Amino acid sequence: MLLSKMKVFAFQIFPIFILSTLILLFGCQALQKAQMTRQEKIKKQITQKINKPNNIIPNYLWAEEETHKLVNQYRVSLGLAPLILKTTISEVARKHSGDMATGIVPIGHKKFEERIQQIRATFSVIASAENVAWNFSAREPCYTALRGWINSPGHQKNMVGNFNFTGIGVELANNGSYYFTQIFIQIPQ
C-alpha cells in the first residue's frame, strides 16, 4: 500500500519537476541571449568608437539632446522654464565626461571651478551647478541618469534651480558605461 502510494506520488511529482526544470532552463537561455545581445551592441559601439578615422572619439549628441529634452520636460512639469542648451557649455561638460570615461578623473565634480572659469571666458555667470552620472543602461542611459538625479536631493535641487542655460556632455567608456555631465548656469538676460 505504501509502495503504491509512493508510485502515485512519484508519477504526480515527476512531471511537475520536469516541467519546472524546462521552464528554468529556457528562462536562463532567454536571459543569456538578452545579455549576449546587449554585449554585442556594446561591442559594436566600442568598435565604431575605435575604428573612427584619425582616432576621433565619436560624439554622443543623441544622448545629450535626449538628456536635455528629459530634464526640460521635468522642469516644465514643475512649472519651471526650460533650460537653453549652449554648445560652449556642452563642450566643457563633454570634456569632463570624456575624462571620467577614460579614467583621467574619478566620477565626480573634481575641477568644477576650473570648468566654470572656462565658461566665464564666454558668459557672465551669476550662479552655477553640476550633475554627473554614470550607468550601464544600453537601452535607456539618459532616462536612467535622469531618474538617478531626480531621486538624489542634491542633483534634483540643481535640476530645478534658478538657472537659464545648460550644457550636457555624454561619453561612452570602453566598458560600456555612459558618463554624463550636466552644467547649469544662470546668465543675466
Side-chain angles (χ1 to χ4, degrees):
M1 178 78 171
L2 182 61
L3 187 58
S4 172
K5 286 184 179 182
M6 287 176 54
K7 285 182 184 178
V8 169
F9 180 73
F11 283 115
Q12 290 174 345
I13 296 298
F14 186 71
I16 294 171
F17 174 74
I18 295 295
L19 183 60
S20 62
T21 302
L22 290 173
I23 290 171
L24 182 61
L25 178 66
F26 288 118
C28 288
Q29 287 176 344
L31 181 61
Q32 285 177 332
K33 185 177 178 183
Q35 288 173 336
M36 288 177 67
T37 302
R38 180 178 177 273
Q39 288 172 350
E40 288 301 316
K41 285 181 182 178
I42 291 170
K43 281 182 187 176
K44 184 178 178 183
Q45 287 175 324
I46 292 170
T47 302
Q48 288 173 343
K49 186 175 184 177
I50 292 168
N51 292 332
K52 287 284 182 182
N54 300 324
N55 205 18
I56 297 171
I57 297 173
N59 214 323
Y60 292 94
L61 289 176
W62 62 269
E64 294 169 7
E65 291 170 1
E66 180 69 11
T67 303
H68 179 237
K69 181 183 88 174
L70 290 170
V71 169
N72 274 345
Q73 285 174 348
Y74 180 70
R75 284 177 61 89
V76 168
S77 76
L78 298 173
L80 301 169
L83 299 168
I84 299 166
L85 187 66
K86 288 289 191 184
T87 304
T88 308
I89 303 170
S90 290
E91 289 169 358
V92 174
R94 198 174 296 127
K95 168 90 170 72
H96 184 56
S97 291
D99 287 348
M100 290 188 300
T102 56
I104 293 172
V105 297
I107 185 165
H109 306 287
K110 188 172 186 171
K111 299 185 180 182
F112 173 63
E113 285 304 318
E114 288 180 22
R115 287 189 285 286
I116 297 307
Q117 290 296 38
Q118 288 178 301
I119 294 167
R120 280 195 171 109
T122 307
F123 300 106
S124 178
V125 177
I126 296 172
S128 61
E130 178 181 70
N131 283 353
V132 297
W134 68 274
N135 65 66
F136 286 95
S137 178
R139 290 184 55 190
E140 296 181 325
C142 305
Y143 179 73
T144 301
L146 176 79
R147 190 175 54 226
W149 288 337
I150 289 172
N151 291 326
S152 165
H155 292 98
Q156 193 270 349
K157 181 181 175 185
N158 291 342
M159 283 197 312
V160 300
N162 187 23
F163 302 110
N164 49 6
F165 292 93
T166 191
I168 301 167
V170 179
E171 289 293 340
L172 180 70
N174 288 335
N175 67 0
S177 59
Y178 288 86
Y179 286 79
F180 294 77
T181 302
Q182 181 167 18
I183 299 174
F184 302 89
I185 301 293
Q186 183 184 13
I187 300 171
Q189 292 189 20

